[in-house]
Amino acid sequence: MAGTGTGARWMLLTLCLATTVQPGRTGERLHVCKESEYHYEYTACDSTGSRWRVAVPHMPGLCTGLPDPVKGTECSFSCKAGEFLDMKAQACKPCAEGTYSLGTGVRFDEWDEVPHGFANVATNLEVDNGFGDTVENCTASTWVPLGDYVASNTDECTATLMYAVNLKQSGTVSFEYIYPDSSIVFEFFVQNDQCQPTVEESRWMRTTEKGWEFHSVELSRGNNVLYWRTTAFSVWSKVPKPVLVRNIGITGVAYTSECFPCKPGTYAPAAGSSACQLCPANTFSSKGATACQPCEPSTYAEPGSASCKPRPPCTDKDYFYTHTACDTRGETQLMFKWAEPKICSEELPQAAKLPPSGVKTKCPPCNPGFAKSNRSTCQPCPYGSYSNGSSWEVAGDHIYTAAGASDNDFMILTLVVPGFSPPSPVLEDAESKEVARITFVFETVCSVSCELYFMVGINSRTNTPVETWTGPKGKQSYTYVVEKNATMSFTWAFQRTPYHEAGRRYTSDVAKLYSVNVTNVLGGVASFCRQCAPEPAGSCAPCPPGNAMDRGSGTCQPCPPGTYLRGHPSDGTPACHPCGPGTHSNQLRSLCYNNCSFSLALPGRILRYDFSALATGTAFASGPSFTAKGLKYFHHFNISLCGNQGRKMASCMDNVTDARLPVGEGDPDRVVTSYVCQSILVPPDVMGYKTAVSSQPVSLADRVMGVTASSTLDGITSPPEHFPPGHPDLPDIIFFYRSNDMTQPCSGGRATTIRLRCDPLRPGAGTLAVPSKCPEGTCDGCTFHFLWVTGEGCPRCSAGHYRPIVGACLGGIQRTTYVWREPRLCRGGQSLPAQKVKGCRSVDFWLKVGISAGTCAAILLAALAAYFWKKNQKLEYKYSKLVMNAAAKESELPAPDSCAIMEGEDAEDDLVFANKKSLFGKIKSLTSKRTPDGFDSVPLKTSSSSTTMEL
């Protein structure tokens, strides 16, 4: 009865709407509704899973007498693909010609605008840091509909395309996509109505290299929210290519009561179609077509076209020529052919004509390693012989790309090499694991942003882009080193414009390949002879690793200690070269390496370093954070300072690809092993990811050149102004590296410098910094600079790093303690000496000695004072006698017998002085003159004159 109640309420609502909407017809008599004036709908399912079919007028209030509600089909009922539910009969019927249905699904294949039901959201994850940098507005960074597909954003904003759907039964979602650039993080995932992600293999999409790829995910019953999310991050200012999505189909939804017409460019020739077919080339169709119409002879159409386009006039870019095999006369025929598919017209004015074929010309020289046989054909040189050649046989001196159906088509050339036979085995601890190398000379002539890709595949696996050249490039050479002995495929792909647009506006853009040289090919031919050492059996073999050919004796001689073998046979005879500072050669002397120790001579001292704590395993796992417009991410630098017998310790992996692989199935071809490698890392907490996402790693350094305190080594410079100044008494130790990986701007490979700076306050790994003016670690894309500040970068402690402190003498004991000089700029090495203890004389002893000496000195001074005082008294007595005698003479008294008292006379008369002399006067009297005979000279004054007489 619940269903009945629901139907009654619905009918009551319909009558109310009729009364409300058309109040003017309340007094008129309504006619009985015709079938064309109403349609059927189902009510919502009740708790028992049942529903009712009711008739709903197209315009309420115009008619009456609608059919009574009847019980509908089960809620889980649906029709098969190619059928629709006829609501009148409540039975499935096939779709008519020119239409299709998914049965229990919907499909979105027209993207002139974002279809109804989709949400297109752009967000900016960067937070304003308050330092004046304005946060970029990401409002316009959304998915863009472009007709047949929808394209993602290409900036650092996060663009999300969402669609919510309620499934009545388990179903699937499928779509086609193009994901050409790993610089964009592209994920697709599904959440239920509790915002919980569904269980799936991986949300991270694989990059594509061969056009559109199909992807499907199972959906559970109930509410499902589908997310297509992209976030780009530019590496070295390169704008990535957008992600394209088309043909989104969802199954498991409610019934469909109608079939959808085929979109223009497709058709459905029979009834009951579940999908429409593309119109073949040179045909077109309109919407809902049952067949495709042919184009006029003067027009053409690509597959799946809704209209025909006028044929352009043919040019010399629309055909190409080949050579037939050389005949016995040494001549070849030129054969001209139109490039397929042919869309140009020869009938238009000024159109180029196809040149006649069969014209004979002289055969060009054979390629290197080939020679002409008796039949004038080029044959491989036999073992033990060679030919240098001069050009290719195919098209004179180069091969080139012909015009395609549209400018965004890829012109692809692939070379497959079955394997390699290197002249000497590749050693495990060798610096370079080179088994071969491929070198090619190319040129691109472009009017817009054309692109040339060079890709490498291993054992029939998907090709991985190695290098890309954009725009016109002059004639130049590129070399790629092969480090794995396997079946390799080398692919060149040229695209005139990366934009998906119809037309042929850039047919004159062309890529030319002048020569391709692959070394050590299994079963290959020789283009030159290589000098080797004779063996007793009569044959000869190349020198073993670490041995160079002595031109004088023709024998292999090992490189001297401190040198290593450098060079490649294709570049000339390898020779021994000295190792850089701070490094030495391994036992095989095939490379130089650093054993994590280093000595630096400074004025007055020698500092010794030991970096073993930083050079084992993965030394540094994450680099500095970097904000690029709307996204915060990390440059992930994996660094190992020095190797163990030359082995590189750092390892980077492409976890974007490896994360999709089941546990236990690694992909060693995507692992980069080097001293320094870099990738872009999006942390999991930035965008709500479960795991971090990184880009394809890039090797920045795989060969150590030397370790020194100088800012320049072997043409590599580490400018000190890139980083803040360090301690004035302790210079930075700089590690210099090179990498053989050559890129478009770095024809000589990359270089890397690592400044190791001592800071005892940062133990362990410390911190890694890049130049403030170059947040990506490089200012030119070729030389990378790092500042590594850590306590492990301090020199080993020595006697010059500490000083003694002498304590006071206490109780006859004196202690000497040793402390580090501040700031302490050393680690490990020599420890502080133990405290020294020795005997001493205390302050009390010396105090007693001083008091005794002072007492003795005081007694001596007192004795001297008494002695001089007594002598002074005698002198005063003699002086008084003389004075009295002088006074008697003035009064004419008889002169005495003697004018002085002789020595030894007693003078014990009592004297009375009228005036008592001062101490100064006494001292002055002591200093009176004494005559040579021992008597004191006393000046006397006569009574008659003022003349002084001296006695």
Side-chain angles (χ1 to χ4, degrees), residues 108-438:
F108 304 96
D109 50 12
E110 295 185 49
W111 293 91
D112 295 325
E113 60 181 4
V114 178
H116 177 71
F118 280 87
N120 202 355
V121 181
T123 57
N124 190 330
L125 298 177
E126 184 179 6
V127 180
D128 193 351
N129 54 18
F131 291 99
D133 297 335
T134 57
V135 178
E136 182 183 5
N137 187 1
C138 293
T139 305
S141 301
T142 58
W143 289 77
V144 181
L146 296 174
D148 293 335
Y149 52 83
V150 59
S152 72
N153 64 321
T154 57
D155 54 15
E156 287 81 4
C157 299
T158 298
T160 306
L161 187 67
M162 296 182 294
Y163 184 75
V165 61
N166 184 276
L167 299 187
K168 302 302 180 181
Q169 57 186 0
S170 299
T172 59
V173 55
S174 61
F175 58 91
E176 298 178 2
Y177 71 99
I178 289 181
Y179 180 20
D181 199 332
S182 62
S183 295
I184 292 183
V185 178
F186 177 37
E187 57 174 333
F188 172 74
F189 61 97
V190 182
Q191 288 183 345
N192 56 21
D193 47 7
Q194 281 81 34
C195 294
Q196 296 176 348
T198 58
V199 179
E200 54 187 274
E201 291 183 2
S202 176
R203 65 196 294 173
W204 312 113
M205 306 302 296
R206 291 180 180 271
T207 56
T208 60
E209 285 116 14
K210 296 182 179 180
W212 295 92
E213 289 195 9
F214 181 81
H215 185 71
S216 177
V217 175
E218 294 184 359
L219 302 177
S220 58
R221 180 181 177 181
N223 293 324
N224 292 267
V225 183
L226 316 179
Y227 293 86
W228 291 265
R229 180 180 292 174
T230 56
T231 304
F233 49 89
S234 58
V235 180
W236 303 326
S237 302
K238 180 182 177 182
V239 178
K241 291 185 176 181
V243 177
L244 308 181
V245 175
R246 72 178 184 184
N247 293 339
I248 300 176
I250 305 173
T251 63
V253 298
Y255 65 92
T256 175
S257 59
E258 60 180 346
C259 297
F260 301 100
C262 294
K263 70 174 184 177
T266 63
Y267 70 102
S273 297
S274 61
C276 299
Q277 304 176 26
L278 290 177
C279 289
N282 297 325
T283 64
F284 72 98
S285 70
S286 57
K287 189 173 184 178
T290 60
C292 298
Q293 305 297 323
C295 295
E296 296 292 334
S298 61
T299 61
Y300 77 100
E302 299 175 1
S305 298
S307 61
C308 297
K309 304 174 185 177
R311 290 184 179 272
C314 292
T315 65
D316 57 353
K317 306 298 180 183
D318 291 305
Y319 62 82
F320 63 96
Y321 64 92
T322 59
H323 291 263
T324 61
C326 292
D327 55 20
T328 56
R329 297 180 181 179
E331 295 180 336
T332 181
Q333 294 181 355
L334 291 177
M335 307 300 295
F336 293 90
K337 296 181 181 180
W338 292 109
E340 296 295 339
K342 180 187 175 185
I343 62 173
C344 64
S345 174
E346 305 175 62
E347 309 300 331
L348 296 176
Q350 299 179 351
K353 304 295 182 180
L354 186 69
S357 299
V359 177
K360 290 190 175 182
T361 60
K362 191 174 182 180
C363 289
C366 294
N367 289 322
F370 292 82
K372 291 183 179 180
S373 62
N374 295 333
R375 295 181 297 174
S376 297
T377 59
C378 294
Q379 299 292 332
C381 292
Y383 181 78
S385 60
Y386 76 99
S387 172
N388 56 8
S390 61
S391 63
W392 286 20
E393 182 184 356
V394 178
D397 65 341
H398 68 276
I399 57 176
Y400 59 94
T401 55
S406 61
D407 290 332
N408 54 21
D409 288 344
F410 279 98
M411 318 297 168
I412 297 178
L413 174 68
T414 301
L415 171 66
V416 179
V417 178
F420 305 93
S421 56
S424 58
V426 179
L427 301 179
E428 181 66 24
D429 66 342
E431 172 193 313
S432 176
K433 296 180 173 57
E434 176 180 341
V435 298
R437 60 172 56 188
I438 177 173

Side-chain angles (χ1 to χ4, degrees), residues 784-836:
F784 292 78
H785 306 280
F786 302 98
L787 174 64
W788 197 345
V789 182
T790 170
E792 304 296 334
C794 298
R796 297 177 63 85
C797 296
S798 62
H801 291 101
Y802 59 83
R803 62 186 179 87
I805 296 180
V806 181
C809 184
L810 299 176
I813 297 177
Q814 187 178 45
R815 302 177 186 273
T816 302
T817 305
Y818 296 88
V819 296
W820 297 111
R821 297 182 183 275
E822 294 298 336
R824 179 182 174 183
L825 299 176
C826 67
R827 178 193 61 84
Q830 184 175 343
S831 302
L832 285 174
Q835 189 181 62
K836 294 183 179 180

Side-chain angles (χ1 to χ4, degrees), residues 577-589:
H577 292 263
C579 292
T583 64
H584 55 92
S585 56
N586 62 352
Q587 295 178 354
L588 297 175
R589 298 186 180 90

